[in-house]
Amino acid sequence: QNDITSSYQASLAIKAAELQGKGAGVRFLRILRECLFVDSRDINNKDVLIECAHKAKIDMDEFIKDLDSQRAINGLQCDRRITNEMDVKELPTLVFFNIRDEIEGVKVAGCYPYNVYVQILTETLGKHPTKNTPPPIEDFIKKYHFVATQELISVYDMEENDLLKELKKLKLKQLITPVHVKNGTFWRYTG
């Protein structure tokens, strides 16, 4: 609903949150995504960004200071420089490196089936990676507070109907509530 002509302020805010650690950056980004896609708020508005940072439980004094700091600007410029050097033209784009070898990385642009990524990792690592078992769905939603149905389908590698049955059980226990938006359904942890 808001015409966003530039993502610079939101990108700078993400970088400011990341300066407090990867976890803080991920929490902030997830809340920012909810603010944009569900609440249709202007994520370039400084007050909205500060509100998202507060919800992400990051150090507010540091965030506000970093929001206008040269450190955050330099970090964002570094990210852009690396993106340009790697000739990233679309999202998602993943680059796989083996830090033990001096061999060039493998750039994968676009979305591919899971087995393609396993094959790339196997070739990069020189061995077949072991897949971690995801946590119970309730724990995942509890950790991230707000998740998309498509995200859960991807993480749990489930058919949508099977996943929806599991989500219905959690909804009946009043642990989650659905949030329907134009592009699909999100699930908010309420337990």
Side-chain angles (χ1 to χ4, degrees):
Q1 292 176 352
N2 297 303
D3 286 336
I4 297 177
T5 57
S6 169
S7 61
Y8 181 76
Q9 192 63 42
S11 298
L12 194 58
I14 294 166
K15 185 52 65 179
E18 285 178 353
L19 290 174
Q20 295 187 36
K22 183 179 178 181
V26 168
R27 283 193 315 275
F28 179 80
L29 183 58
R30 292 182 76 85
I31 290 167
L32 191 66
R33 177 183 77 164
E34 178 181 351
C35 192
L36 175 64
F37 293 116
V38 177
D39 302 332
S40 299
R41 298 192 55 203
D42 179 3
I43 60 167
N44 280 316
N45 179 298
K46 194 169 186 175
D47 292 334
V48 171
L49 295 170
I50 289 170
E51 182 182 322
C52 289
H54 181 71
K55 286 181 182 177
K57 296 182 171 100
I58 59 179
D59 184 313
M60 294 305 298
D61 292 334
E62 280 297 309
F63 178 77
I64 291 168
K65 184 175 76 174
D66 285 335
L67 201 51
D68 297 314
S69 76
Q70 192 60 46
R71 192 172 141 206
I73 292 168
N74 290 345
L76 184 57
Q77 288 172 342
C78 180
D79 288 350
R80 285 181 170 175
R81 192 169 37 256
I82 291 170
T83 300
N84 286 335
E85 287 172 6
M86 295 193 171
D87 196 33
V88 173
K89 302 275 189 231
E90 64 180 291
L91 295 175
T93 295
L94 302 173
V95 181
F96 296 89
F97 290 101
N98 185 338
I99 58 174
R100 291 183 219 142
D101 297 326
E102 295 294 323
I103 301 170
E104 277 190 29
V106 176
K107 182 174 85 172
V108 182
C111 292
Y112 294 92
Y114 177 79
N115 64 327
V116 171
Y117 300 107
V118 171
Q119 180 183 349
I120 292 167
L121 284 171
T122 301
E123 291 173 13
T124 303
L125 297 171
K127 65 178 182 176
H128 190 78
T130 306
K131 182 178 179 179
N132 286 344
T133 303
I137 294 172
E138 179 185 343
D139 293 349
F140 185 86
I141 299 172
K142 184 177 182 178
K143 178 179 180 179
Y144 293 108
H145 303 287
F146 192 78
V147 299
T149 300
Q150 289 302 315
E151 181 178 10
L152 293 168
I153 288 169
S154 177
V155 169
Y156 290 90
D157 193 24
M158 294 176 77
E159 294 293 325
E160 187 169 2
N161 287 338
D162 295 333
L163 175 68
L164 291 175
K165 287 176 190 174
E166 295 300 314
L167 293 171
K168 186 175 182 180
K169 293 175 192 175
L170 295 174
K171 183 181 171 191
L172 289 172
K173 291 181 182 177
Q174 297 182 338
L175 296 173
I176 62 171
T177 184
V179 178
H180 304 287
V181 294
K182 180 172 64 173
N183 298 325
T185 303
F186 288 82
W187 299 89
R188 179 175 281 126
Y189 187 78
T190 56

